[in-house]
Amino acid sequence: MNKLNLLIVEDDINTINEYKASIRNFDNFYLVGTTNNSSEAVNMVKEYCPHAVILDLELHLGSGNGLIFLKQLSELALPYKPFILVVTNNISNVTHSIARNLGADFVITKNQNDFSCKMVLEFLSSIAQSTINSNLNSSSAAQAAADISNRETLRDKISTELDLIGISSKLKGRQYLADAIEITYNQRVSNLCSIIAKKYSKTDASVERAMQTAINHAWRNTDIESLERYYTTYINPQKGVPTVMEFIYYYSAKIKKSL
């Protein structure tokens, strides 16, 4: 079964967490990311080509707003247009009409009696396959879908490798490491920490520190047999653990050989 690649644009962290918790109960969603910034959301659409976007119009705790996102999205030459589901506290019919004119496909208001994040996901789940199919009408769209599938496979492989050596998803540096391995899988870059720091609005130093902390955690807490089985390259005996870049380049090369 094909999964619907989903982007969530929402400024309330509790709502985002509720979506994430609810998504675990569905087997036909793949969450490509979340953001509370409308400009970043446009960039994420270009990068991830989601099939659908859950869009909050009023990003008071973030940056920009949903109408700006819709306008900027309409100006892009995308291989296919994602299904835009507006989920908002705004009950103005005028605002809803503007959103639809800018490309919103459906509007759900948060003040309706039966509203919940689960209900939103149930609605999307009910139209998931038709939404995926409707966007596969051109060779460029088909290529974009293939690229998404390949990226899902890569991300799953990275996640498995990190699990095997005990780098838990609870560690802040794990996501940074996963992103870094994915980037270097595709190309070598000289400003890796800066790229990741910009994505998460962090400093270069804090990103590098979090990644090294995650690596150190694995080498302190995972049994030596597992580490030697799954991390087979040389480690400087004076340091006892890989450096951030040694770790990233090892896994990007290892995964490239296996895929």
Side-chain angles (χ1 to χ4, degrees):
M1 178 176 60
N2 292 326
K3 290 191 176 184
L4 183 140
N5 296 286
L6 177 63
L7 171 66
I8 299 176
V9 185
E10 169 64 57
D11 67 332
D12 183 77
I13 188 63
N14 292 326
T15 302
I16 290 174
N17 289 336
E18 186 179 342
Y19 277 125
K20 288 181 177 179
S22 297
I23 281 174
R24 299 190 188 103
N25 298 317
F26 295 83
D27 59 5
N28 58 342
F29 289 123
Y30 179 77
L31 182 62
V32 301
T34 67
T35 181
N36 64 1
N37 182 303
S38 61
S39 295
E40 183 178 43
V42 173
N43 291 331
M44 292 175 77
V45 168
K46 290 191 289 186
E47 181 178 1
Y48 298 111
C49 295
H51 298 116
V53 179
I54 295 176
L55 176 65
D56 183 18
L57 290 182
E58 298 175 338
L59 303 172
H60 297 304
L61 301 178
S63 179
N65 62 67
L67 296 181
I68 291 175
F69 167 81
L70 290 169
K71 185 176 187 304
Q72 292 177 337
L73 195 66
S74 68
E75 297 168 352
L76 296 179
L78 294 173
Y80 58 80
K81 175 186 173 296
F83 183 92
I84 307 296
L85 174 58
V86 168
V87 181
T88 180
N89 282 310
N90 190 306
I91 61 173
S92 166
N93 289 330
V94 173
T95 302
H96 293 180
S97 178
I98 293 171
R100 289 189 179 93
N101 288 338
L102 288 173
D105 294 289
F106 201 82
V107 178
I108 295 176
T109 57
K110 295 180 181 180
N111 66 334
Q112 65 188 65
N113 292 333
D114 61 342
F115 176 82
S116 68
C117 292
K118 180 182 177 183
M119 179 268 281
V120 173
L121 294 172
E122 286 174 343
F123 169 76
L124 276 179
S125 182
S126 70
I127 62 170
Q129 195 57 53
S130 60
T131 299
I132 295 170
N133 292 341
S134 69
N135 287 323
L136 297 179
N137 297 322
S138 67
S139 59
S140 59
Q143 183 58 52
D147 290 343
I148 291 170
S149 178
N150 291 338
R151 186 171 189 187
E152 286 182 24
T153 300
L154 173 58
R155 297 290 292 193
D156 288 344
K157 180 63 175 175
I158 292 171
S159 181
T160 297
E161 290 289 347
L162 295 180
D163 286 340
L164 287 171
I165 59 168
I167 296 185
S168 167
S169 59
K170 295 179 181 179
L171 295 170
K172 186 186 302 182
R174 175 179 166 125
Q175 186 60 58
Y176 302 157
L177 286 170
D179 286 356
I181 294 167
E182 181 179 355
I183 291 169
T184 54
Y185 176 90
N186 293 302
Q187 62 178 338
R188 292 291 180 97
V189 296
S190 59
N191 57 338
L192 187 57
C193 286
S194 296
I195 293 171
I196 297 170
K198 184 176 180 181
K199 177 179 179 180
Y200 293 98
S201 300
K202 303 292 184 180
T203 65
D204 295 10
S206 68
V207 166
E208 184 171 10
R209 185 166 56 250
M211 290 194 288
Q212 189 66 64
T213 297
I215 295 168
N216 293 347
H217 175 87
W219 259 257
R220 284 196 309 267
N221 295 281
T222 303
D223 63 273
I224 189 65
E225 290 82 6
S226 293
L227 291 174
E228 290 178 346
R229 184 183 306 124
Y230 299 116
Y231 193 92
T232 59
T233 194
Y234 173 80
I235 299 175
N236 187 322
Q238 292 182 333
K239 295 180 179 178
V241 299
T243 66
V244 168
M245 297 313 299
E246 286 171 345
F247 184 92
I248 291 167
Y249 287 143
Y250 169 77
Y251 275 108
S252 63
K254 180 181 181 181
I255 292 170
K256 186 169 289 188
K257 289 180 182 178
S258 68
L259 292 180

